[in-house]
């Protein structure tokens, strides 16, 4: 019995459903039809088969869409409407033009990779020379908005002196689409010829980043690199009075430009933009272009190397950036890691680890043994001395570094030293610094507690697991010698002091800089005066003196 027969025989429930929720019926038809057109093309897809796969009837398909070509055009319109709606949710108008262009390019790559049906539908229409698209009046209006969006970003970049003139939004859209569509459309043939390594998770992450890099380098004004594109003139940065309060004023003002609390991706992009705006030239002789991708059980990890001049093999420092476990990257901490490399003589391996809340504890920490093993195994190629391999980080990165030393000690993997900069060592809020500086400056206790909860939602683990809170370890003996750089005006200052005490009680040498007059995240104030720079030079001197 056909759908039409069942309809005529009194399927009242189905009829009531059609009348009560016509949009759901239409959406169901479009979903089934899309799969059919993607699999069989316009010619091969049959209305009878489509109707059989829906919750409605052949008659209702004709009622909504007229004929098969009308249904096909509606499927295309719906597919493009979904792309445009997703682009609108990116809120690119609120981002710096460099960040907006990168985000749009990487979004397009991700969308097409995750919605291969969209690409295949486009391929089907190209086989028909786009003759059905020409009859779909809504498509032109839908897609001109994408060009307008891209043009607005491009014009803002030109007005700010970042992008070279003479390009068009249409050209940029072509380049973005070409890279993103090839990744899906040619996957089968490319894999058959060259293997499928680029279509595994690590390869896709690499290509995604390359798409953004290539587009940005194409539009940059001659003589201006991607890294420099968002940087304010150095003269302007150095004209600011060298004082920690001036740094706070500037830092707070730049974060105030974030229009709303925003989702994780928006905040991360904003942090990248803020950090680039404060970036200074790298110290002379430090190489910063080398990147590697490391396979781990919790996904591939990118590392950027900051290589100082010097005779190999070099001592090395694995550095884990701060950012409350939720944001940050090797690029946000460029000022710090490039100077650590120059002033300590260490090859600094800056790790782009997995971020919360998408990747909560223990994912980021579980990536660390693989990064350490990779550095040791590739020591000869990297030009580092595995016997002089240390680990360090600031804020959340300091927490991960301290926890990693516990893992390495128990696994019999030696580390030369640990550099912990305003680390999170436990989550006890009863200490004096928590009440004294509960409202900041820079970080409030409430903000820090929110970050803790996103990194490790299980409160029991935060109170008991030493790999979440290293101060809770039953035994701190056998850990590498430590340098703790604290900040006087930090809600978590006393957590770091307690950890230094625990190390010393276990016989581990621990040098402490109390950071008098400083605030949490003060290393981002490099360029605002001598206070942050002097502290970083002290850390570098300790590494040089301790590790050699």
């Amino acid at each position: 019995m056909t759908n039409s027969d069942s309809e005529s025989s009194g399927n009242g429930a189905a009829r009531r459903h059609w009348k009560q929720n016509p949009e759901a019926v239409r959406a169901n038809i479009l979903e089934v039809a899309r799969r059919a057109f993607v699999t069989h093309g316009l010619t091969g897809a049959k209305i009878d088969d489509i109707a059989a796969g829906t919750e409605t009837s052949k008659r209702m398909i004709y009622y909504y869409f007229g004929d098969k070509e009308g249904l096909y055009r509606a499927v295309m319109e719906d597919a493009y409407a979904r792309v445009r709606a997703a682009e609108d949710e990116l809120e690119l108008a609120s981002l710096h033009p460099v960040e907006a262009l990168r985000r749009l390019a990487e979004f397009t790559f991700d969308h097409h990779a995750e919605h291969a049906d969209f690409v295949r539908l486009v391929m089907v229409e190209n086989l028909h020379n786009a003759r059905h698209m020409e009859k779909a009046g809504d498509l032109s209006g839908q897609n001109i908005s994408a060009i307008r969006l891209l043009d607005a970003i491009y014009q803002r970049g030109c007005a700010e002196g970042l992008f070279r003139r003479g390009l068009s939004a249409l050209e940029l859209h072509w380049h973005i689409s070409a890279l993103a569509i090839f990744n899906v459309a040619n996957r089968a043939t490319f894999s058959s010829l060259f293997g499928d390594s680029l279509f595994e998770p690590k390869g896709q992450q690499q290509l995604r980043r390359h798409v953004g890099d290539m587009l940005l380098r194409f539009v940059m004004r001659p003589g201006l690199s991607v890294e420099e594109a968002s940087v304010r003139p150095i003269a302007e940065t150095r004209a600011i009075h060298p004082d920690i309060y001036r740094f706070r004023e500037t830092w707070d003002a730049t974060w105030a430009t974030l229009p709303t609390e925003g989702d994780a991706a928006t905040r991360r992009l904003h942090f990248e933009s803020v950090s680039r705006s404060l970036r200074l030239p790298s110290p002379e002789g430090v190489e910063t272009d080398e990147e590697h991708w490391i396979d781990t059980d919790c996904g591939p990890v990118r590392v950027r190397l900051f290589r100082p001049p010097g005779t190999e093999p070099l001592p090395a420092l694995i550095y884990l950036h701060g950012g409350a476990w939720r944001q940050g990257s090797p690029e946000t901490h460029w000022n710090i890691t490039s100077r650590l490399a120059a002033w300590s003589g260490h090859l600094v391996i800056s790790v782009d680890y997995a971020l919360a809340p998408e990747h909560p504890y223990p994912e980021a920490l579980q990536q660390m043994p693989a990064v350490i093993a990779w550095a040791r195994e590739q020591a000869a190629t990297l030009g580092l001395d595995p016997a002089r391999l240390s680990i360090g980080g600031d804020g959340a990165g300091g927490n991960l570094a301290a926890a990693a030393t516990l893992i390495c000690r128990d696994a019999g993997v030696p580390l030369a030293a640990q550099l912990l900069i305003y680390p999170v060592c436990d989550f006890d809020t009863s200490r004096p610094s928590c009440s004294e500086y509960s409202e900041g400056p820079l970080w409030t206790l409430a903000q820090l507690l929110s970050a803790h909860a996103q990194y490790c939602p299980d409160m029991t683990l935060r109170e008991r697991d030493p790999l979440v809170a290293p101060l809770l370890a039953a035994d701190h003996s056998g850990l590498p010698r430590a340098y703790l750089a604290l900040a006087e005006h930090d809600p978590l200052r006393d957590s770091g002091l307690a950890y230094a005490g625990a190390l010393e009680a276990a016989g581990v040498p621990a040098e402490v800089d109390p950071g008098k007059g400083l605030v949490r995240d003060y290393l981002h104030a490099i360029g605002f005066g001598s206070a942050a720079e002097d502290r970083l030079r002290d850390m570098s001197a300790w590494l040089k003196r301790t590790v050699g």
Side-chain angles (χ1 to χ4, degrees), residues 250-523:
T250 301
W251 187 260
D252 291 344
T254 53
W255 276 98
T257 62
L258 188 65
T260 62
E261 183 67 16
D263 59 12
T266 299
R267 291 187 63 81
R268 287 167 194 159
L269 283 168
H270 192 75
F271 188 26
E272 297 285 339
S273 180
V274 169
S275 300
R276 283 178 177 166
S277 74
L278 299 178
R279 187 183 298 173
L280 301 171
S282 299
E284 185 176 356
V286 175
E287 298 177 10
T288 62
D289 295 332
E290 187 175 347
E291 289 187 342
H292 296 274
W293 289 81
I294 302 166
D295 286 314
T296 80
D297 291 339
C298 293
V301 178
R302 178 178 66 95
V303 298
R304 181 183 287 276
L305 271 54
F306 293 82
R307 184 182 297 277
T311 303
E312 297 182 355
L314 296 165
L317 173 70
I318 294 173
Y319 192 87
L320 310 175
H321 63 79
W325 295 283
R326 300 179 298 188
Q327 57 205 27
S329 69
E331 289 68 39
T332 61
H333 286 59
W334 193 295
N335 280 347
I336 299 168
T337 48
S338 63
R339 282 157 182 75
L340 273 173
W343 298 341
S344 72
H346 279 58
L347 172 65
V348 177
I349 302 171
S350 189
V351 185
D352 194 11
Y353 56 82
L355 298 175
E358 300 95 325
H359 304 285
Y361 173 81
E363 292 191 40
L365 182 60
Q366 287 181 342
Q367 292 175 332
M368 295 309 112
V371 173
I372 294 167
W374 171 82
R376 293 170 62 84
E377 292 165 2
Q378 300 296 318
T381 302
L382 297 171
L384 65 85
D385 180 358
R388 295 187 291 164
L389 179 63
S390 303
I391 194 166
D394 65 282
N399 169 276
L400 293 170
T405 66
L406 293 170
I407 294 173
C408 288
R409 179 199 62 185
D410 296 344
V413 177
L415 291 171
Q418 54 180 320
L419 173 62
L420 308 180
I421 305 166
Y422 27 86
V424 183
C425 298
D426 75 341
F427 304 94
D428 182 353
T429 60
S430 66
R431 296 194 177 93
S433 61
C434 288
S435 57
E436 189 175 357
Y437 300 110
S438 63
E439 296 305 316
L442 217 70
W443 280 91
T444 67
L445 183 60
Q447 289 172 325
L448 293 169
L449 293 177
S450 172
H452 299 168
Q454 286 196 312
Y455 171 59
C456 182
D458 188 334
M459 182 178 292
T460 302
L461 291 178
R462 298 203 299 273
E463 294 175 346
R464 299 180 183 178
D465 188 345
L467 295 184
V468 179
L471 182 57
L472 302 178
D475 180 15
H476 292 93
S477 64
L479 295 175
R481 64 192 68 188
Y483 187 103
L484 286 94
L486 308 180
E488 180 183 12
H489 305 285
D490 175 8
L492 302 184
R493 176 199 65 201
D494 293 346
S495 175
L497 283 172
Y499 193 66
L503 292 175
E504 291 178 334
V508 177
E511 186 170 330
V512 178
D513 174 7
K516 187 172 178 59
L518 300 179
V519 301
R520 190 172 188 80
D521 277 352
Y522 69 78
L523 282 184

Side-chain angles (χ1 to χ4, degrees), residues 89-357:
E89 292 179 1
L90 298 176
E91 298 182 346
L92 300 178
S94 65
L95 299 179
H96 187 282
V98 171
E99 302 301 333
L101 195 56
R102 176 183 288 280
R103 187 167 187 187
L104 180 59
E106 293 182 350
F107 158 82
T108 306
F109 183 91
D110 287 343
H111 174 274
H112 290 7
E114 294 165 8
H115 301 83
D117 282 0
F118 173 80
V119 175
R120 296 190 181 104
L121 195 63
V122 172
M123 294 167 65
V124 167
E125 181 59 5
N126 273 287
L127 291 174
H128 293 279
N129 294 315
R131 66 183 178 86
H132 305 95
M133 194 174 272
E134 293 172 359
K135 297 177 182 178
D138 289 344
L139 276 177
S140 295
Q142 284 178 359
N143 290 285
I144 200 65
S145 66
I147 303 303
R148 288 173 179 162
L149 173 65
L150 194 47
D151 186 63
I153 297 169
Y154 174 66
Q155 294 302 334
R156 283 197 291 126
C158 290
E160 294 183 28
L162 304 174
F163 299 163
R164 62 191 178 101
R165 297 190 180 276
L167 301 174
S168 71
L170 195 60
E171 291 171 293
L172 299 181
H173 184 69
W174 186 94
H175 287 294
I176 295 172
S177 296
L179 294 167
I181 287 179
F182 182 96
N183 184 58
V184 178
N186 289 58
R187 174 171 180 169
T189 53
F190 196 99
S191 297
S192 177
L193 292 171
F194 306 111
D196 60 359
S197 63
L198 289 181
F199 300 97
E200 293 173 353
K202 181 171 76 172
Q204 287 291 282
Q205 287 193 33
Q206 288 175 306
L207 291 176
R208 177 183 187 272
R209 185 171 181 83
H210 293 168
V211 167
D213 286 342
M214 285 189 287
L215 186 69
L216 286 172
R217 287 170 180 155
F218 174 64
V219 302
M220 285 298 111
R221 187 167 51 81
L224 188 64
S225 71
V226 174
E227 289 71 27
E228 295 167 338
S230 299
V231 179
R232 295 172 182 169
I234 299 303
E236 178 185 338
T237 302
R238 290 180 175 165
I240 299 174
H241 191 273
D243 185 278
I244 196 69
Y245 296 102
R246 178 69 68 172
F247 160 66
R248 285 178 51 201
E249 181 180 285
T250 301
W251 187 260
D252 291 344
T254 53
W255 276 98
T257 62
L258 188 65
T260 62
E261 183 67 16
D263 59 12
T266 299
R267 291 187 63 81
R268 287 167 194 159
L269 283 168
H270 192 75
F271 188 26
E272 297 285 339
S273 180
V274 169
S275 300
R276 283 178 177 166
S277 74
L278 299 178
R279 187 183 298 173
L280 301 171
S282 299
E284 185 176 356
V286 175
E287 298 177 10
T288 62
D289 295 332
E290 187 175 347
E291 289 187 342
H292 296 274
W293 289 81
I294 302 166
D295 286 314
T296 80
D297 291 339
C298 293
V301 178
R302 178 178 66 95
V303 298
R304 181 183 287 276
L305 271 54
F306 293 82
R307 184 182 297 277
T311 303
E312 297 182 355
L314 296 165
L317 173 70
I318 294 173
Y319 192 87
L320 310 175
H321 63 79
W325 295 283
R326 300 179 298 188
Q327 57 205 27
S329 69
E331 289 68 39
T332 61
H333 286 59
W334 193 295
N335 280 347
I336 299 168
T337 48
S338 63
R339 282 157 182 75
L340 273 173
W343 298 341
S344 72
H346 279 58
L347 172 65
V348 177
I349 302 171
S350 189
V351 185
D352 194 11
Y353 56 82
L355 298 175

